[in-house]
Amino acid sequence: MDAEEADGSLDRLEFLNEIQQRTRRESLIGGDLIALSRAVKLLIPITIYENDADKFVELVVESVNNMAKESQILAWNDLKYLKRRMIADQLMSVIDQVSMAISPLITPDTPRIIMKPNTDVEVEISAVRIHDYVAFPSTSLYRTTDDTVNIPREALTLRNNAIDEAKIIYAAYSSMSQHLQPEPRRGADGTMVPRQIASKIVSISVINSDNKIETIDHLHKPVIITFSTENRVNLSMPQCVWWNRTHLQWSSYGCVVSSHNATHTVCHCNHLTYFAVLMDIHYQQVCITYICSHKLSLNDCFKSVIKDHVNITYKYMRR
């Protein structure tokens, strides 16, 4: 029996448990990521009952976490550029899928929160009373990040002022960013400037009365996302972006940088989706810093830079 033939909660949970164990113990190959991500998606039922809810969420989150972790990087490197993005996108979507499936069970008193130490995927599914702005995640008990999202009333009410309670899915991904790195951008002088994701990927969604994620855009008041961002001398030019699932690429449309300092970047965006912060990578600046602080020769420094540049170029050619 395979995932498509699984029938009933016990069969599905048994399969998910096997996937969770396998992805935790074994070194996967590229084909495994394709098959296992698809299997997890198939094993999430449309309806999940109270007794099984916690187990379904935990197994799905842990399986996604195990597949996305850096320890499986060789499996990801087996995949071509576009396929890596497709699999990463699918893994994030199954978090949304299982969250929607248990959303009928969520009340203000019964949220589901998975924020454990040493886990690269954090999830909260909550029902909240509506105010002008509501912050997520709503708990600091297991938080390992300073990332927060403040959602305006307009989004929480789904533009229906009669609604006084909202169901929210919050998710944050640490390791997933390495599989969704952006393409270089063209600089003002025509040269290609490499970029990287300098934050976690943070997702925020509102669930409607049909227990589906509602598409919300063109908000009058912004969604405010505060990211903890990398502080490295060779990173600059923060850009607030969102993940376009149709084109499988990052877009800045509808997002602006509100403020930025050595530790955090604040983004204002007019919709709800997956968000991140991109920054330019400047190798020459790294060389100057290393020469000054470590007494390296210019030749040694640029040898290292050229090696890194070749690796990045090779990565984008493998599409």
Coordinates of all heavy atoms in Angstrom, one line a residue, residues 5 29 39 47 68 73 102 110 130 154 205 216 268 277 307 314:
E5 N -3.2 5.0 -1.5 CA -4.2 4.0 -1.0 C -4.5 4.1 0.4 O -5.4 3.3 0.9 CB -3.6 2.6 -1.4 CG -3.4 2.4 -2.8 CD -2.6 1.1 -3.1 OE1 -1.8 0.7 -2.2 OE2 -2.9 0.4 -4.1
I29 N 18.0 11.2 -1.2 CA 18.5 11.6 -2.5 C 17.3 12.5 -3.1 O 16.2 12.5 -2.6 CB 18.8 10.4 -3.4 CG1 17.6 9.5 -3.5 CG2 20.0 9.7 -2.8 CD1 17.9 8.3 -4.5
A39 N 3.9 12.5 -1.1 CA 3.2 11.6 -0.2 C 2.6 12.4 1.0 O 1.5 12.1 1.4 CB 4.2 10.5 0.3
T47 N -10.7 16.5 6.3 CA -11.2 16.7 7.7 C -10.3 15.9 8.7 O -10.0 14.7 8.5 CB -12.6 16.2 7.8 OG1 -13.4 17.0 6.9 CG2 -13.2 16.5 9.2
A68 N 13.7 19.8 4.9 CA 14.3 21.1 4.6 C 15.7 21.3 5.2 O 16.4 22.2 4.7 CB 13.3 22.2 5.0
I73 N 21.1 18.6 2.4 CA 21.5 19.4 1.3 C 22.0 18.6 0.0 O 21.7 19.1 -1.1 CB 22.6 20.4 1.7 CG1 22.8 21.5 0.7 CG2 23.9 19.7 2.0 CD1 21.6 22.4 0.5
I102 N -7.2 21.4 10.2 CA -7.6 21.4 11.6 C -8.2 22.7 12.1 O -8.6 22.8 13.2 CB -6.3 21.1 12.5 CG1 -5.4 22.3 12.6 CG2 -5.7 19.8 12.1 CD1 -4.4 22.2 13.7
T110 N -8.0 27.0 22.3 CA -7.3 25.8 21.8 C -6.5 26.0 20.6 O -6.7 25.4 19.5 CB -8.4 24.7 21.5 OG1 -9.3 25.2 20.5 CG2 -9.1 24.3 22.8
I130 N -10.4 40.4 17.4 CA -9.9 41.4 16.4 C -9.7 42.8 17.1 O -10.6 43.3 17.8 CB -10.9 41.5 15.2 CG1 -10.8 40.2 14.4 CG2 -10.6 42.7 14.4 CD1 -11.8 40.1 13.3
E154 N -8.4 45.3 8.8 CA -9.0 45.0 7.5 C -8.7 43.6 7.0 O -9.6 43.0 6.4 CB -8.4 46.1 6.5 CG -9.0 45.9 5.1 CD -8.3 46.9 4.1 OE1 -7.4 47.6 4.5 OE2 -8.7 46.9 2.9
S205 N -1.4 34.0 7.2 CA -2.6 33.8 6.4 C -3.9 33.9 7.3 O -3.8 33.6 8.5 CB -2.7 32.4 5.7 OG -1.5 32.2 4.9
I216 N -5.9 37.9 0.3 CA -6.1 39.3 0.8 C -5.0 40.2 0.3 O -3.8 39.9 0.5 CB -6.2 39.4 2.3 CG1 -7.2 38.5 2.9 CG2 -6.4 40.8 2.8 CD1 -7.2 38.4 4.4
H268 N 6.8 46.8 5.3 CA 5.3 47.1 5.2 C 4.9 46.5 3.9 O 5.4 46.8 2.8 CB 5.1 48.6 5.2 CG 5.2 49.2 6.6 ND1 4.9 50.5 6.9 CD2 5.7 48.7 7.8 CE1 5.1 50.7 8.2 NE2 5.6 49.6 8.7
V277 N 13.4 38.8 3.6 CA 14.2 40.0 3.3 C 15.4 39.5 2.4 O 16.1 38.6 2.8 CB 14.7 40.7 4.5 CG1 15.7 41.8 4.2 CG2 13.6 41.3 5.3
K307 N 36.5 31.7 -6.0 CA 35.9 30.4 -5.8 C 34.4 30.5 -5.4 O 33.6 29.7 -6.0 CB 36.7 29.7 -4.6 CG 36.2 28.3 -4.3 CD 36.9 27.7 -3.2 CE 36.4 26.3 -2.8 NZ 37.1 25.7 -1.7
Y314 N 27.7 28.6 -11.0 CA 27.4 27.2 -11.3 C 26.0 26.9 -10.9 O 25.3 26.2 -11.6 CB 28.5 26.3 -10.7 CG 28.1 24.8 -10.9 CD1 28.3 24.2 -12.1 CD2 27.7 24.1 -9.8 CE1 28.0 22.9 -12.3 CE2 27.4 22.7 -10.0 CZ 27.6 22.1 -11.2 OH 27.3 20.8 -11.4

